[in-house]
Structures are given as structure tokens and as C-alpha cells.
Amino acid sequence: QVQLVESGGGLVQAGGSLRLSCAASGLIFGRHAMGWYRQAPGKERELVVAISSGGSTYYVDSMKGRFTISRDNAKNTVFLQMNSLKPEDTAVYYCVAGLRIRGPYNYWGQGTQVTVSS
């Protein structure tokens, strides 16, 4: 059974930083692309950043320069470093796993709340 367990969310002031982690189990981690979706209140879920099994990355334009995705295949873990956070980054962030960097993503975590206060 595949499990993706996120951690690291919380409340932070605008301009601050958070680091999300996602520990994966039940899948061959090194063969999967990993990503982070987010869903803000009243909005649809969107893929904001992803990393392929080979380390190639994808970022939504608004994230470039502020967010960094990385992976540690030895620890079956993917990270999302979020800097210069803005109130509009407030959302539930979901860790996802799939075979291709742009999706579809077959496996989802339960989500972690990130709240950025102004």
C-alpha cells in the first residue's frame, strides 16, 4: 500500500519560510516523479512544483525563485523549501507521486495546511 505522509506545514508571517517534507512508502521511490499540489480556499487544486525520477524539475512561474523542490532517494523523501512566502500561498499542500513529471499523479498524501499571515 502506497503512503505519502506530509509534514512541516504551519502558520508563518509573510516573508517567512517553511520546509515541507513528504515521506513515501510502498512504492519504488526512485522510479517515480514527485510533486506538490496545492488547493487554496475556493480554488481548484493545482500542480505547483514537481521533480522527475532523474531530478528534472517543473515550477509554476509564480513559484520560480521562491520555492525549491528536492528529493532524497536514499530516504524516500521529497522536500519543498518555500521562501518569501505570501498570503496568497495559503493553501493545503498535497504530496503526489506518479510516473511522469507533468502527471497524471496516482498517489496522494493527506495534505498539510500552510497559512501565511499578512
PDB file of all heavy atoms in Angstrom, residues 4 12 17 19 26 28 30 32 42 60 62 64 67 69 93 106 109 117:
ATOM      1  N   LEU A   4       1.944   8.359   1.376  1.00  0.00           N
ATOM      2  CA  LEU A   4       2.697   9.607   1.300  1.00  0.00           C
ATOM      3  C   LEU A   4       2.300  10.430   2.513  1.00  0.00           C
ATOM      4  O   LEU A   4       1.131  10.772   2.689  1.00  0.00           O
ATOM      5  CB  LEU A   4       2.358  10.371   0.015  1.00  0.00           C
ATOM      6  CG  LEU A   4       2.568   9.624  -1.304  1.00  0.00           C
ATOM      7  CD1 LEU A   4       2.108  10.479  -2.482  1.00  0.00           C
ATOM      8  CD2 LEU A   4       4.032   9.239  -1.479  1.00  0.00           C
ATOM      9  N   VAL A  12       2.906  30.968   9.304  1.00  0.00           N
ATOM     10  CA  VAL A  12       4.115  31.774   9.167  1.00  0.00           C
ATOM     11  C   VAL A  12       3.717  33.163   8.696  1.00  0.00           C
ATOM     12  O   VAL A  12       2.689  33.324   8.017  1.00  0.00           O
ATOM     13  CB  VAL A  12       5.102  31.106   8.177  1.00  0.00           C
ATOM     14  CG1 VAL A  12       4.528  31.043   6.781  1.00  0.00           C
ATOM     15  CG2 VAL A  12       6.458  31.787   8.201  1.00  0.00           C
ATOM     16  N   SER A  17       9.606  31.554   5.868  1.00  0.00           N
ATOM     17  CA  SER A  17       9.922  30.318   5.157  1.00  0.00           C
ATOM     18  C   SER A  17       9.344  29.111   5.876  1.00  0.00           C
ATOM     19  O   SER A  17       9.150  29.129   7.095  1.00  0.00           O
ATOM     20  CB  SER A  17      11.446  30.139   5.048  1.00  0.00           C
ATOM     21  OG  SER A  17      12.039  31.190   4.325  1.00  0.00           O
ATOM     22  N   ARG A  19       9.548  24.569   5.344  1.00  0.00           N
ATOM     23  CA  ARG A  19      10.054  23.430   4.591  1.00  0.00           C
ATOM     24  C   ARG A  19       9.109  22.260   4.787  1.00  0.00           C
ATOM     25  O   ARG A  19       8.941  21.775   5.909  1.00  0.00           O
ATOM     26  CB  ARG A  19      11.460  23.039   5.045  1.00  0.00           C
ATOM     27  CG  ARG A  19      12.127  21.990   4.150  1.00  0.00           C
ATOM     28  CD  ARG A  19      13.388  21.463   4.781  1.00  0.00           C
ATOM     29  NE  ARG A  19      14.222  20.738   3.835  1.00  0.00           N
ATOM     30  CZ  ARG A  19      15.087  19.791   4.183  1.00  0.00           C
ATOM     31  NH1 ARG A  19      15.219  19.468   5.461  1.00  0.00           N
ATOM     32  NH2 ARG A  19      15.826  19.189   3.268  1.00  0.00           N
ATOM     33  N   GLY A  26       5.901   2.083   0.170  1.00  0.00           N
ATOM     34  CA  GLY A  26       5.034   1.218  -0.614  1.00  0.00           C
ATOM     35  C   GLY A  26       5.188   1.372  -2.116  1.00  0.00           C
ATOM     36  O   GLY A  26       4.385   0.811  -2.875  1.00  0.00           O
ATOM     37  N   ILE A  28       8.328   2.118  -5.470  1.00  0.00           N
ATOM     38  CA  ILE A  28       9.746   2.237  -5.819  1.00  0.00           C
ATOM     39  C   ILE A  28      10.017   3.713  -6.023  1.00  0.00           C
ATOM     40  O   ILE A  28       9.826   4.272  -7.115  1.00  0.00           O
ATOM     41  CB  ILE A  28      10.078   1.409  -7.072  1.00  0.00           C
ATOM     42  CG1 ILE A  28       9.687  -0.055  -6.846  1.00  0.00           C
ATOM     43  CG2 ILE A  28      11.574   1.520  -7.386  1.00  0.00           C
ATOM     44  CD1 ILE A  28       9.863  -0.935  -8.059  1.00  0.00           C
ATOM     45  N   GLY A  30      12.517   5.733  -6.329  1.00  0.00           N
ATOM     46  CA  GLY A  30      13.443   6.241  -7.341  1.00  0.00           C
ATOM     47  C   GLY A  30      12.893   6.192  -8.748  1.00  0.00           C
ATOM     48  O   GLY A  30      13.468   6.812  -9.659  1.00  0.00           O
ATOM     49  N   HIS A  32       9.695   7.088  -9.459  1.00  0.00           N
ATOM     50  CA  HIS A  32       8.521   7.948  -9.515  1.00  0.00           C
ATOM     51  C   HIS A  32       8.885   9.421  -9.540  1.00  0.00           C
ATOM     52  O   HIS A  32       9.825   9.841  -8.852  1.00  0.00           O
ATOM     53  CB  HIS A  32       7.602   7.692  -8.313  1.00  0.00           C
ATOM     54  CG  HIS A  32       6.780   6.452  -8.457  1.00  0.00           C
ATOM     55  ND1 HIS A  32       7.305   5.190  -8.271  1.00  0.00           N
ATOM     56  CD2 HIS A  32       5.474   6.283  -8.778  1.00  0.00           C
ATOM     57  CE1 HIS A  32       6.346   4.294  -8.474  1.00  0.00           C
ATOM     58  NE2 HIS A  32       5.224   4.924  -8.778  1.00  0.00           N
ATOM     59  N   GLY A  42     -11.569  27.970  -1.979  1.00  0.00           N
ATOM     60  CA  GLY A  42     -12.391  28.389  -3.105  1.00  0.00           C
ATOM     61  C   GLY A  42     -11.771  28.190  -4.464  1.00  0.00           C
ATOM     62  O   GLY A  42     -12.344  28.612  -5.473  1.00  0.00           O
ATOM     63  N   VAL A  60       5.663  26.135 -11.467  1.00  0.00           N
ATOM     64  CA  VAL A  60       4.754  27.158 -11.937  1.00  0.00           C
ATOM     65  C   VAL A  60       5.504  28.489 -11.870  1.00  0.00           C
ATOM     66  O   VAL A  60       6.307  28.707 -10.958  1.00  0.00           O
ATOM     67  CB  VAL A  60       3.481  27.198 -11.050  1.00  0.00           C
ATOM     68  CG1 VAL A  60       2.641  28.418 -11.357  1.00  0.00           C
ATOM     69  CG2 VAL A  60       2.683  25.933 -11.265  1.00  0.00           C
ATOM     70  N   SER A  62       4.924  31.423 -10.916  1.00  0.00           N
ATOM     71  CA  SER A  62       4.834  32.233  -9.694  1.00  0.00           C
ATOM     72  C   SER A  62       5.672  31.674  -8.554  1.00  0.00           C
ATOM     73  O   SER A  62       5.889  32.343  -7.549  1.00  0.00           O
ATOM     74  CB  SER A  62       3.380  32.367  -9.254  1.00  0.00           C
ATOM     75  OG  SER A  62       2.821  31.101  -8.998  1.00  0.00           O
ATOM     76  N   LYS A  64       8.804  30.190  -9.172  1.00  0.00           N
ATOM     77  CA  LYS A  64      10.224  30.220  -9.525  1.00  0.00           C
ATOM     78  C   LYS A  64      10.959  31.266  -8.696  1.00  0.00           C
ATOM     79  O   LYS A  64      10.510  32.399  -8.554  1.00  0.00           O
ATOM     80  CB  LYS A  64      10.389  30.497 -11.021  1.00  0.00           C
ATOM     81  CG  LYS A  64       9.900  29.370 -11.904  1.00  0.00           C
ATOM     82  CD  LYS A  64      10.059  29.710 -13.373  1.00  0.00           C
ATOM     83  CE  LYS A  64       9.554  28.562 -14.247  1.00  0.00           C
ATOM     84  NZ  LYS A  64       9.640  28.884 -15.693  1.00  0.00           N
ATOM     85  N   PHE A  67      10.344  28.903  -4.394  1.00  0.00           N
ATOM     86  CA  PHE A  67      10.186  27.515  -3.952  1.00  0.00           C
ATOM     87  C   PHE A  67      11.264  26.647  -4.594  1.00  0.00           C
ATOM     88  O   PHE A  67      11.637  26.858  -5.754  1.00  0.00           O
ATOM     89  CB  PHE A  67       8.813  26.978  -4.358  1.00  0.00           C
ATOM     90  CG  PHE A  67       7.650  27.557  -3.601  1.00  0.00           C
ATOM     91  CD1 PHE A  67       7.781  28.678  -2.799  1.00  0.00           C
ATOM     92  CD2 PHE A  67       6.405  26.953  -3.689  1.00  0.00           C
ATOM     93  CE1 PHE A  67       6.707  29.202  -2.098  1.00  0.00           C
ATOM     94  CE2 PHE A  67       5.314  27.464  -2.997  1.00  0.00           C
ATOM     95  CZ  PHE A  67       5.464  28.590  -2.201  1.00  0.00           C
ATOM     96  N   ILE A  69      12.168  22.430  -4.955  1.00  0.00           N
ATOM     97  CA  ILE A  69      11.853  21.033  -4.679  1.00  0.00           C
ATOM     98  C   ILE A  69      13.135  20.215  -4.772  1.00  0.00           C
ATOM     99  O   ILE A  69      14.000  20.484  -5.614  1.00  0.00           O
ATOM    100  CB  ILE A  69      10.780  20.485  -5.641  1.00  0.00           C
ATOM    101  CG1 ILE A  69      10.308  19.104  -5.196  1.00  0.00           C
ATOM    102  CG2 ILE A  69      11.274  20.479  -7.084  1.00  0.00           C
ATOM    103  CD1 ILE A  69       9.087  18.596  -5.955  1.00  0.00           C
ATOM    104  N   TYR A  93      -1.337  21.849   1.037  1.00  0.00           N
ATOM    105  CA  TYR A  93      -0.339  21.334   0.116  1.00  0.00           C
ATOM    106  C   TYR A  93      -0.348  19.805   0.167  1.00  0.00           C
ATOM    107  O   TYR A  93      -0.253  19.213   1.244  1.00  0.00           O
ATOM    108  CB  TYR A  93       1.041  21.875   0.478  1.00  0.00           C
ATOM    109  CG  TYR A  93       1.209  23.326   0.080  1.00  0.00           C
ATOM    110  CD1 TYR A  93       0.551  24.337   0.782  1.00  0.00           C
ATOM    111  CD2 TYR A  93       1.998  23.683  -1.010  1.00  0.00           C
ATOM    112  CE1 TYR A  93       0.684  25.670   0.407  1.00  0.00           C
ATOM    113  CE2 TYR A  93       2.137  25.014  -1.390  1.00  0.00           C
ATOM    114  CZ  TYR A  93       1.469  25.999  -0.681  1.00  0.00           C
ATOM    115  OH  TYR A  93       1.606  27.317  -1.052  1.00  0.00           O
ATOM    116  N   ASN A 106      -0.880   9.396  -9.461  1.00  0.00           N
ATOM    117  CA  ASN A 106      -1.782   8.358  -8.996  1.00  0.00           C
ATOM    118  C   ASN A 106      -1.910   8.292  -7.484  1.00  0.00           C
ATOM    119  O   ASN A 106      -2.887   7.769  -6.962  1.00  0.00           O
ATOM    120  CB  ASN A 106      -1.299   6.982  -9.502  1.00  0.00           C
ATOM    121  CG  ASN A 106      -1.102   6.961 -11.003  1.00  0.00           C
ATOM    122  OD1 ASN A 106       0.013   7.057 -11.493  1.00  0.00           O
ATOM    123  ND2 ASN A 106      -2.198   6.851 -11.722  1.00  0.00           N
ATOM    124  N   GLY A 109      -0.944  12.303  -0.845  1.00  0.00           N
ATOM    125  CA  GLY A 109      -0.909  12.359   0.601  1.00  0.00           C
ATOM    126  C   GLY A 109      -2.181  12.989   1.134  1.00  0.00           C
ATOM    127  O   GLY A 109      -3.065  13.383   0.370  1.00  0.00           O
ATOM    128  N   SER A 117       0.282  34.621   7.112  1.00  0.00           N
ATOM    129  CA  SER A 117      -0.420  35.811   7.595  1.00  0.00           C
ATOM    130  C   SER A 117       0.252  37.070   7.064  1.00  0.00           C
ATOM    131  O   SER A 117       1.460  37.111   6.861  1.00  0.00           O
ATOM    132  CB  SER A 117      -0.431  35.829   9.123  1.00  0.00           C
ATOM    133  OG  SER A 117       0.889  35.916   9.630  1.00  0.00           O
TER     134      SER A 117
END
